[in-house]
Amino acid sequence: MPHSSFLSEVKDAVTPRATLLILGVIALQLLFIASYVGALHDPRLKDVPFGVVAPQAASAQAVTRLERLPGSPLDPRALPDAATARDQITNRDIDAALIINPAGTDTLLVASGGGRVLANTLTALVTTLERSEKRTFRTVDVIPSAAHDPNGLSSFYLVVGWCVGGYLGAAALAISAGAKPSNPERAAIRLAVMALVAITGGLGGALITGPVLDALPGSTAALWGLGALIIFAVGAATLALQGVFGTIGIGLVILLVVILGNPSAGGALPPPLLPPFWKAIGPALPPGAGTWATRSIAYFENNAMTASLLVLAAWAVAGAAITLVAAAMRKRVATPPPAHTP
């Protein structure tokens, strides 16, 4: 092939649009690496809500000692008794508690259902502290992870699967062969189809992780409802961003849900072990809100779910509204004004 013909073929193949898309893919790839490695490479405890139960004379002293630990790994607060500590762990107000017995062995209460890595890290920290005081303690897992979910990761993987179903389902609707640019009618139909996908996918995920594999305890119906909400929230957001930005919108969803959302979700590392940036953004993104809510259903008697459900509902409502508004505006721009008759 002559040199000029080869250059012509390259020019035809590598259009400015293709170049921008390739650059976007490279950027997403590098952001993926930076996000996951940045979030997960150096887990450290920071301000973990931590209860302390001790006789009145020793309680304030113990709290002060824990507050002054280097790096502030714990956010300790005095509690009146062990029953209160258990209740606060179940309510997800604290992650663990130390019951100090001046006359004998202390007891550390943990909840591996909220993440075994966190429970193990807290146990290691308390082991060091108790040795320095020449004391002994025992660990009691008051909310253990399920037998078929030893590391407490099934909730996270379930939510990841639901999120994937949301953005892939919406992407398929938006860019499938023969799909026309969205107008209000098509946008409404796509949202309705997305709702059906959400209902089906939510039920499937709840059945697989519950009755089929016995990986997660908790109400199958509650997990079904949560899964449907997660899928629709991510799907509606995908349709919205695609409606506003075109194909680039799908890349933006991958940025929000996969690159930023997954490592900050508290799955591989629970929130107290994440760096400040990822710990801050996680609860506001669907993977983080979904993982927290899934663990609440599975292990914590449906406690502390309101904020997460509101976040997911906001994504769903905003996504649906923007999808419809973007379609209406596109129709208005595409509709020529009526011809002027003299």
Side-chain angles (χ1 to χ4, degrees), residues 1 4 24 37-38 41 64 67 77 85 108 110 136 145 177 197 235 238 288 295 311 316:
M1 178 183 294
S4 58
V37 176
H41 80 290
T64 300
E67 284 178 335
R77 69 282 310 267
L108 174 66
V110 297
T136 59
S145 56
V197 170
T238 303
R295 284 179 172 161
V311 166

Side-chain angles (χ1 to χ4, degrees), residues 4 9 34 50 64 88 109 135 174 192 214 231 235 242 293 297 316 332 335:
S4 58
E9 290 292 335
F50 190 86
T64 300
Q88 290 206 9
L109 305 180
R135 298 186 58 80
D214 195 26
I231 294 170
Q242 193 272 340
I297 292 171
R332 182 178 300 176
T335 303

Side-chain angles (χ1 to χ4, degrees), residues 12 20-21 256:
D12 291 339
L20 289 175
L21 289 174
L256 290 171

Side-chain angles (χ1 to χ4, degrees), residues 63-89:
V63 169
T64 300
R65 179 167 62 97
L66 294 176
E67 284 178 335
R68 293 177 178 175
L69 290 175
S72 300
L74 303 178
D75 177 16
R77 69 282 310 267
L79 299 177
D81 50 47
T84 301
R86 287 175 177 268
D87 287 342
Q88 290 206 9
I89 291 173

Side-chain angles (χ1 to χ4, degrees), residues 116 144-155 208-217 299:
R116 185 168 293 277
S145 56
H148 296 157
D149 182 29
N151 296 315
L153 291 175
S154 294
S155 53
I208 290 171
T209 55
V212 175
L213 297 179
D214 195 26
L216 285 178
Y299 295 112

